[in-house]
Amino acid sequence: MSPDPVLLAGYAVANQAVGAQLTERGHPVVAADDAPDDRALSHAGELGINLRERPDPEAWLALVANARVMVPTPGLPERHPAFGAAAATGTPIVSELDLAQRWDSRPTLAVTGTSGKTTVTLLISSMLEASGIAASVAGNTETPMVEAIRDPRPAVFVVEASSFRLGHSRCYRPAVGAWLNFAPDHLDVHESLASYRAAKASLWARAAGGTTAVVNRDDPVVAAHAPRRGRVVEYGLGEGDHRVSGTRPAAWPGGEYGAGEGDYRVSGEALWAGSTELVPIAELRRSQPHELSNALAAAAVAMAGGAHPDGVRLALRQWVGLPHRMMLVAEHNGVRYYDDSKSTTPHSVRAAVRSVESAVLIAGGRNKGLDLGAMAEIAGRLRAVVAIGEAAPEVQEAFARRCPVVVATSMEEAVSSAAGLARTGDDVLLSPGCASFDWYESYAQRGDHFAHLVEELIGGSR
């Protein structure tokens, strides 16, 4: 990139890391933010970056017109005036992934999808490390990619690639790219479902002879977007079996541990990579259907990145899951209580409910512009629903006349109501299908509060 002005549209964690890298490399930088906090103002001041506060649409037009390139902060809504200004002036837009790839030549293994990204990303990293390959996790995490490349240790980067980053990438091309699944999400950021889908699909837009696409053949949207160039490797549980046509790897990058047709699957109560058995399901600590799918995806990506089957096996056997992802909080009087607070879409709620036999569901929060009616298809597995938060009326409407629904005005009331509705053998699931920002600062805070209240409830009943 030439030393011309770069505009950072938004100045939170990712663009602060971009700003630091750009200034170190001699690029003049201007930043603008609609609501900068004290940290942003301090950070910009330390770097000597001119941070414009709360520009109006005309000011955005001038800022973009005077920039050679614009780097939007991940999650900046597509309706934001900065994008309209870029379109009007013809100013190119690049992502932090583009910049990191320009500045560092080490390979990246990228994972996108509506749900499961964090789990699969961390599993891949564990598989690589267990195979003796130094790996670093970056992207839609606490460490932006442009910050991760400062570390000389990793031989490879495992990137959690959100639609927010992919949608604005112009040249990013991972060595291995996995698309896990697709369902409506982030319609508070993307202009339409088509825009969200296009952002995900851009993961494979620049596939070439040396790249590998890991495709979930159970998901028809993912399968339909499989690239025609590069290697294509399939995985799945056989639920949809939307097989794709593409270039099959004649020889797997891992050499003698090749997976034949690139088929990662469940067979005979075990996970398989082609003709290689990876691990019996009985040896896994997490074996719900979506967990098995995540495990197969991680194995496919890790082995494409050079992981050894023994390293994959070790990581799978040790995997205990992540906080706030279908984590068992407690069991009392034959009822299990699960914290699935990370669930912020109807798609993830459906996956959680399908993993149990009978549940009382706690759902709601701040809707992200999604159709919560999509949750209705799992009503047959629900004894009742407790609706919470701003979206409680939408949750009520989704399950009306399908199963009993009660409304709770606090998490305390929700836990108490769910416990009263549950029967022996049921599971109480906090799987909200919505963001947490109506009542909480994060999904983690929401999950922690739920777990605390469950422990209090159980403790008080002993």
Side-chain angles (χ1 to χ4, degrees):
M1 180 177 291
S2 58
D4 293 312
V6 176
L7 172 65
L8 306 183
Y11 201 66
V13 174
N15 266 2
Q16 287 172 24
V18 170
Q21 281 275 18
L22 286 168
T23 55
E24 288 176 20
R25 294 167 187 271
H27 297 273
V29 178
V30 174
D33 196 291
D34 294 331
D37 58 19
D38 291 341
R39 176 182 174 181
L41 293 168
S42 175
H43 190 274
E46 291 173 2
L47 295 177
I49 292 175
N50 177 18
L51 175 55
R52 295 284 300 275
E53 298 184 50
R54 301 175 178 83
D56 59 26
E58 289 187 5
W60 273 111
L61 185 62
L63 286 165
V64 174
N66 291 327
R68 177 66 179 270
V69 170
M70 183 177 84
V71 184
T73 192
L76 191 67
E78 290 177 352
R79 298 176 181 85
H80 193 277
F83 293 115
T89 60
T91 302
I93 298 173
V94 300
S95 73
E96 67 132 340
L97 297 179
D98 293 327
L99 296 174
Q101 182 172 264
R102 183 183 295 269
W103 295 332
D104 194 290
S105 61
R106 286 172 287 182
T108 64
L109 315 180
V111 179
T112 197
T114 301
S115 59
K117 292 187 298 296
T118 304
T119 292
V120 172
T121 298
L122 293 177
L123 256 176
I124 293 166
S125 179
S126 297
M127 292 170 177
L128 292 168
E129 292 283 354
S131 300
I133 301 171
S136 176
V137 171
N140 191 38
T141 67
E142 294 180 355
T143 307
M145 188 61 193
V146 292
E147 183 66 26
I149 62 175
R150 292 181 182 277
D151 185 356
R153 183 193 71 90
V156 62
F157 296 97
V158 187
V159 180
E160 183 176 330
S162 68
S163 60
F164 305 152
R165 285 170 164 84
L166 290 173
H168 301 301
S169 295
R170 292 167 56 90
C171 62
Y172 176 62
R173 181 169 63 193
V176 183
W179 186 355
L180 306 180
N181 44 56
F182 180 79
D185 195 8
H186 299 305
L187 297 185
D188 53 344
V189 172
H190 294 282
E191 286 190 318
S192 65
L193 186 61
S195 174
Y196 175 53
R197 182 172 59 246
K200 292 294 190 187
S202 67
L203 175 74
W204 296 327
R206 289 162 287 276
T211 64
T212 298
V214 175
V215 180
N216 180 1
R217 66 166 176 262
D218 293 337
D219 190 301
V221 174
V222 173
H225 284 84
R228 302 298 177 183
R229 293 169 294 176
R231 298 183 177 95
V232 174
V233 175
E234 300 175 18
Y235 76 93
L237 304 179
E239 296 175 347
D241 205 22
H242 303 277
R243 292 187 177 272
V244 303
S245 59
T247 303
R248 298 287 192 264
W252 193 252
E256 63 179 296
Y257 303 103
E261 286 289 307
D263 185 16
Y264 285 71
R265 67 196 189 285
V266 174
S267 179
E269 299 300 317
L271 304 187
W272 289 78
S275 59
T276 301
E277 182 178 339
L278 295 176
V279 63
I281 293 174
E283 296 181 10
L284 300 176
R285 305 185 193 190
R286 305 288 296 237
S287 58
Q288 295 156 335
H290 65 283
E291 296 280 1
L292 297 180
S293 183
N294 288 340
L296 291 171
V301 174
M303 291 179 72
H308 190 283
D310 287 340
V312 171
R313 292 184 185 103
L314 178 61
L316 288 173
R317 288 184 175 116
Q318 292 180 340
W319 181 251
V320 296
L322 298 174
H324 314 297
R325 278 83 162 176
M326 282 300 289
M327 295 301 295
L328 180 63
V329 173
E331 182 172 356
H332 183 66
N333 289 340
V335 176
R336 293 171 295 274
Y337 294 80
Y338 286 94
D339 168 14
D340 192 38
S341 183
K342 179 63 167 65
S343 166
T344 59
T345 68
H347 177 267
S348 56
V349 174
R350 294 197 302 267
V353 173
R354 286 172 181 152
S355 70
V356 302
E357 294 298 323
S358 176
V360 175
L361 173 67
I362 301 175
R366 176 166 293 171
N367 193 353
K368 298 187 289 183
L370 307 178
D371 176 16
L372 300 188
M375 295 189 293
E377 66 182 64
I378 42 88
R381 289 180 177 263
L382 299 177
R383 185 173 299 281
V385 173
V386 180
I388 62 172
E390 292 176 359
E394 296 172 79
V395 174
Q396 275 187 298
E397 183 178 354
F399 292 102
R401 298 176 298 280
R402 293 180 173 89
C403 66
V405 183
V406 299
V407 175
T409 58
S410 67
M411 188 62 77
E412 288 85 352
E413 187 179 345
V415 170
S416 177
S417 296
L421 291 164
R423 299 291 181 265
T424 299
D426 285 349
D427 297 292
V428 171
L429 305 182
L430 170 66
S431 190
C434 295
S436 59
F437 303 122
D438 53 346
W439 289 358
Y440 300 96
E441 294 180 1
S442 67
Y443 72 81
Q445 186 185 67
R446 176 171 63 187
D448 288 341
H449 190 208
F450 169 78
H452 174 72
L453 292 172
V454 169
E455 293 291 352
E456 274 193 345
L457 179 73
I458 292 173
S461 65
R462 288 171 182 165

